[in-house]
Amino acid sequence: MATIDDLMREAYSRWDDAKTLSRVGRELHGRTRLEAAREILARAVELAPADWEAWEALGYSWLRGFENEKGLAALREGVRATGSDYIKGVLSGFTEDKDEAAKLKEEIADTTDPAAKAGNLWSRLHEGEAEEALTAMRVLREEHPANEDVRDNYLWMLISAKRQGVAGVDPVGEGLPICDEMIEKEPDSIGGHMMKVNLLNAVENWDGVLAATADALANIPDEETVMLFRGRAFREKGDEERAAIWFSRAIGAKPTFAGARVDLGKLFEKQGKLELAEETFREIPEANPGYPVGPMSIALFCARQGRLDEGEKI
């Protein structure tokens, strides 16, 4: 079992151990503890500037927090420090500078880095080449079975291809054995647990989601995203009381968690508990001022209640 506090204590007790800091920082990033992840990852790349995985996670931690300029700056610094083709691929997807993006894509077009190849295939999946990209990814996965970045991209591609309606895609059949191996190897890491939940969620196997989230919380008891998915599974099964409990637990585990408040507010609204719904929506920008969906959620709620003028002002 590894809680957020456990990870923070491990990081601070080994503040000069770059390898530990990189691992812990990436785990905290995976658990959406972005501020803590940034602090620890910044220290990791200070100690080990060649650690491309730490640079990538550092950049993403800013991007996920809607701090795009800081995220792009971290990714560019990561490219300068490591020359990583993988980071170049990530940067090419986020930069708004078309010339920079074109130059980066040209540089990695013939990359030999398996992780960068996986990133290129992920891009192709969303550029109208879903079947071809997934076929190539399966080959890449067979060629590099131990590469974790290839593995992770492959699993996400299964989910995305399923959602795009690609024929013959079985996320659970293909992906679940891999997730189980990940969980067996690292039961206290969020990666395998969350991927398993996402795979089951993609095929709307709600009983499977409940089983997977229960297993995850037994190992990672303070993981709010797992709680959110558990609440959604109960909601889809028609158990709104338990759904509300788990949405509330997710908020309790992380008070800034806007996604759980959005789901809880919508549930209250569906139940006709309009006062509770509005209170919940109005908490979002107070708890997480940097989350752009907060004011939008209030405005949309007002519009649904016929208060158009109030919604437009927000």
Side-chain angles (χ1 to χ4, degrees):
M1 183 181 294
T3 66
I4 300 297
D5 286 344
D6 293 333
L7 292 168
M8 296 299 294
R9 281 193 292 270
E10 182 180 10
Y12 289 134
S13 68
R14 304 182 69 177
W15 198 240
D16 292 323
D17 184 340
K19 188 175 181 179
T20 295
L21 295 178
S22 177
R23 174 180 54 78
V24 171
R26 287 182 282 119
E27 178 70 16
L28 288 168
H29 173 250
R31 298 195 193 187
T32 326
R33 291 305 194 275
L34 301 181
E35 289 187 14
R38 290 169 195 150
E39 178 189 8
I40 293 168
L41 290 166
R43 175 63 173 167
V45 297
E46 178 185 352
L47 295 171
D51 184 350
W52 70 267
E53 290 180 302
W55 279 112
E56 184 231 357
L58 180 59
Y60 264 128
S61 72
W62 286 112
L63 293 169
R64 291 178 66 191
F66 306 102
E67 297 272 5
N68 286 3
E69 289 305 315
K70 292 180 180 178
L72 292 173
L75 292 174
R76 290 181 181 121
E77 185 62 28
V79 169
R80 285 192 290 270
T82 69
S84 166
D85 283 351
Y86 189 82
I87 301 181
K88 290 178 183 178
V90 174
L91 180 56
S92 72
F94 282 100
T95 180
E96 295 181 359
D97 184 329
K98 293 182 179 179
D99 291 337
E100 180 183 31
K103 181 175 182 296
L104 290 165
K105 288 179 179 179
E106 182 179 354
E107 289 179 4
I108 63 174
D110 298 318
T111 183
T112 58
D113 179 359
K117 287 183 178 181
N120 288 344
L121 291 172
W122 173 257
S123 297
R124 286 179 58 192
L125 182 80
H126 296 281
E127 294 172 354
E129 301 179 42
E131 292 188 25
E132 298 87 343
L134 184 57
T135 298
M137 178 61 86
R138 287 182 174 124
V139 173
L140 186 65
R141 167 74 179 159
E142 290 178 2
E143 293 174 346
H144 303 279
N147 188 292
E148 294 181 0
D149 297 290
V150 172
R151 176 200 68 198
D152 292 349
N153 275 278
Y154 168 60
L155 292 171
W156 281 116
M157 283 182 72
L158 288 174
I159 294 171
S160 186
K162 176 68 175 179
R163 289 172 177 164
Q164 291 186 40
V166 176
V169 177
D170 180 10
V172 171
E174 293 186 62
L176 223 56
I178 300 172
C179 293
D180 288 336
E181 289 177 7
M182 294 168 66
I183 293 168
E184 183 178 2
K185 181 180 178 181
E186 296 182 292
D188 295 339
S189 176
I190 190 59
H193 291 291
M194 202 67 246
M195 188 63 74
K196 185 173 183 177
V197 170
N198 276 291
L199 286 167
L200 292 162
N201 188 76
V203 297
E204 300 183 358
N205 182 340
W206 307 124
D207 288 330
V209 171
L210 290 176
T213 53
D215 182 48
L217 290 169
N219 291 277
I220 310 171
D222 56 356
E223 175 44 53
E224 73 281 350
T225 306
V226 173
M227 297 176 191
L228 175 65
F229 273 91
R230 188 165 178 79
R232 288 174 175 172
F234 276 121
R235 180 191 63 199
E236 295 302 319
K237 286 174 64 68
D239 192 339
E240 295 183 349
E241 183 178 356
R242 282 190 172 86
I245 289 171
W246 282 101
F247 294 151
S248 297
R249 286 181 177 174
I251 295 167
K254 185 180 181 184
T256 60
F257 194 11
R261 279 191 169 88
V262 170
D263 278 33
L264 182 60
K266 288 181 177 179
L267 181 60
F268 284 148
E269 185 178 358
K270 177 178 179 289
Q271 294 173 331
K273 301 174 182 178
L274 300 183
E275 185 175 347
L276 280 175
E278 184 164 357
E279 287 178 5
T280 304
F281 287 130
R282 289 191 180 278
E283 287 175 355
I284 297 172
E286 295 176 7
N288 192 342
Y291 190 67
V293 176
M296 186 185 302
S297 297
I298 302 170
L300 290 172
F301 171 79
C302 291
R304 289 193 296 270
Q305 304 312 310
R307 293 149 51 187
L308 297 177
D309 289 344
E310 186 177 349
E312 288 176 358
K313 289 178 183 178
I314 295 171

